[in-house]
Amino acid sequence: MNIFLSAQPSLLERAWLAIRYPYDLVRNPLNALLSIPALSFLLIPTFSSYSTSFNLLFFYVTWSTLILSNSPLKVEVLGSLGIRVLFYLLPATAFLAFDGATPTLAAKAKEHGESALPMGEEQGGRKGRWWRTALVSTGNVLLGIALQSCVELVFTKLLHFRSALKITTSLPMPWAIAIDLIRGLFLREIFSYVLHRYLLHHPDSPLTSYHTRWQHTITAPYAFVANYDHPLAYIVHVFLPTYLPALLFRFHLLTYHMYLAIVSLEETFAYSGYNVLPSGLILGGIARRQERHLMGEGKGNYSCLGIVDFVAGTSLGEDLMEEITEEAENNHVQERLKGRVKRGGRKAKSRSRS
């Protein structure tokens, strides 16, 4: 492997590696995982395909070169920024452009129709507050990256500890990534519930007024609303529940960036306001709970996924199990209708041929 790492890359090559990293992070491991059965990857890797081995080798070379040719802090910060841009800011901007360019079509895709359009008449039109929401949301995302950088500097430069996240040339095992992702998302669910309910919606909390005067002035969400809040409220509501699990479990940087990509996509779709989502069974329920939280003046639905709300009895509207059952039944009905349409089309073709 030293053959690949013997030559130091130039400045342009290092810049290109940093730009490609978020893309390679998702593409190469995903291709490797999807190109072979899970059991062969976990139990008998010697039978993996050549394409899988090549993808993993190429990503290892890219990752190792990136780590060895740049400071760990630079890799962490630029990688985290790239993930947030690729999986949150760009999709949120695309959704906003779609809502503004095709309002009639967008209104049909919105759960609450024209009233949910960020540039609609009820939101102040094209001169409304949508641009301020997008600007504050982007600023808060950058604030989160800056705070993450500060934590690393305190750990490594001030306290002379090891880095907050594990940054090494070695790659984590697939099962280690899966375990960290599961417990990270679960702990984020608990943190988000506790901090959101007792620091942002408790009458005695000084942060409650900030949160209600900022995010809760928007009742019909769109993607940028996910990170639109007073900076102090944003730190409590978004940054701490997301970052603390990675800090406590000391995620590998690669795992953290995958985790951050999942969180970013969840925020993008959960606050999009659309009734047609990639995974209706999961994202559809999350989106409805976020809408009920904003429209219900923060009287429930404090957690991200709704699990802790279900246990604590603070769910607004249908509880988690009822939503899952209803969504599964709707998906089943849609699949049956699609099947009938296909069978009807085949019968019509057979009759026309005869």
Side-chain angles (χ1 to χ4, degrees):
M1 192 62 63
N2 293 330
I3 298 175
F4 297 99
L5 305 177
S6 56
Q8 287 294 325
S10 65
L11 181 61
L12 290 177
E13 288 173 337
R14 280 188 278 180
W16 176 242
L17 287 173
I19 294 172
R20 279 187 57 93
Y21 167 66
Y23 172 74
D24 288 336
L25 170 67
V26 177
R27 177 181 177 273
N28 291 301
L30 189 61
N31 285 346
L33 289 173
L34 294 180
S35 61
I36 52 175
L39 285 178
S40 65
F41 188 75
L42 295 175
L43 300 179
I44 46 174
T46 54
F47 293 96
S48 301
S49 64
Y50 287 109
S51 60
T52 299
S53 301
F54 179 77
N55 283 330
L56 291 175
L57 177 62
F58 178 75
F59 184 75
Y60 174 78
V61 172
T62 303
W63 174 260
S64 300
T65 305
L66 196 64
I67 295 296
L68 295 175
S69 59
N70 295 277
S71 67
L73 180 62
K74 183 186 294 185
V75 176
E76 178 181 345
V77 172
L78 291 181
S80 299
L81 179 61
I83 293 295
R84 293 297 273 165
V85 170
L86 186 62
F87 293 101
Y88 176 69
L89 292 178
L90 286 181
T93 303
F95 288 166
L96 186 63
F98 172 73
D99 293 341
T102 58
T104 303
L105 183 61
K108 295 179 181 179
K110 290 283 187 177
E111 183 72 22
H112 300 283
E114 293 183 3
S115 62
L117 293 177
M119 300 180 193
E121 294 299 326
E122 296 188 20
Q123 304 292 337
R126 293 188 177 276
K127 296 182 179 180
R129 57 184 298 187
W130 60 268
W131 63 270
R132 180 173 179 268
T133 302
L135 189 63
V136 171
S137 180
T138 303
N140 281 335
V141 169
L142 297 178
L143 173 63
I145 301 297
L147 290 174
Q148 180 182 332
S149 305
C150 290
V151 172
E152 285 290 359
L153 288 175
V154 169
F155 270 60
T156 57
K157 303 298 183 182
L158 185 62
L159 301 177
H160 299 288
F161 291 165
R162 62 185 183 179
S163 59
L165 300 178
K166 190 183 299 181
I167 306 175
T168 62
T169 56
S170 61
L171 299 178
M173 292 293 101
W175 50 86
I177 294 176
I179 291 173
D180 278 343
L181 290 178
I182 291 172
R183 62 183 183 176
L185 292 172
F186 181 73
L187 196 58
R188 172 176 174 260
E189 174 80 356
I190 296 174
F191 280 144
S192 65
Y193 179 89
V194 174
L195 296 176
H196 193 184
R197 180 178 182 181
Y198 295 107
L199 290 183
L200 299 181
H201 285 286
H202 196 279
D204 296 331
S205 174
L207 296 177
T208 299
S209 60
Y210 293 133
H211 184 58
T212 54
R213 288 203 307 261
W214 285 63
Q215 190 177 65
H216 277 272
T217 58
I218 301 177
T219 55
Y222 46 98
F224 275 114
V225 178
N227 290 276
Y228 173 74
D229 214 334
H230 187 280
L232 292 177
Y234 164 81
I235 292 172
V236 172
H237 185 203
V238 179
F239 176 73
L240 289 179
T242 301
Y243 187 65
L244 284 179
L247 187 65
L248 293 175
F249 294 123
R250 197 168 184 256
F251 283 0
H252 189 284
L253 182 58
L254 184 64
T255 304
Y256 175 71
H257 284 163
M258 290 182 178
Y259 166 75
L260 193 61
I262 294 173
V263 171
S264 300
L265 287 174
E266 179 215 301
E267 291 176 344
T268 301
F269 289 108
Y271 283 86
S272 66
Y274 296 127
N275 53 23
V276 180
L277 296 172
S279 176
L281 186 61
I282 299 176
L283 291 175
I286 295 174
R288 284 191 294 272
R289 282 188 288 275
Q290 296 295 348
E291 290 176 354
R292 289 167 188 162
H293 173 78
L294 292 174
M295 295 180 176
E297 299 179 351
K299 296 179 180 178
N301 291 356
Y302 302 108
S303 61
C304 302
L305 305 178
I307 298 174
V308 182
D309 281 296
F310 172 71
V311 175
T314 54
S315 298
L316 294 178
E318 297 176 339
D319 62 35
L320 182 63
M321 298 308 297
E322 290 176 349
E323 284 187 350
I324 292 175
T325 303
E326 181 180 352
E327 194 67 41
E329 290 177 353
N330 291 337
N331 289 341
H332 181 63
V333 170
Q334 292 177 1
E335 290 177 358
R336 290 176 61 183
L337 288 176
K338 290 180 180 179
R340 290 181 180 179
V341 171
K342 289 182 179 179
R343 288 195 296 270
R346 291 172 183 171
K347 290 181 180 179
K349 287 182 179 180
S350 62
R351 290 175 182 174
S352 62
R353 290 175 182 176
S354 61

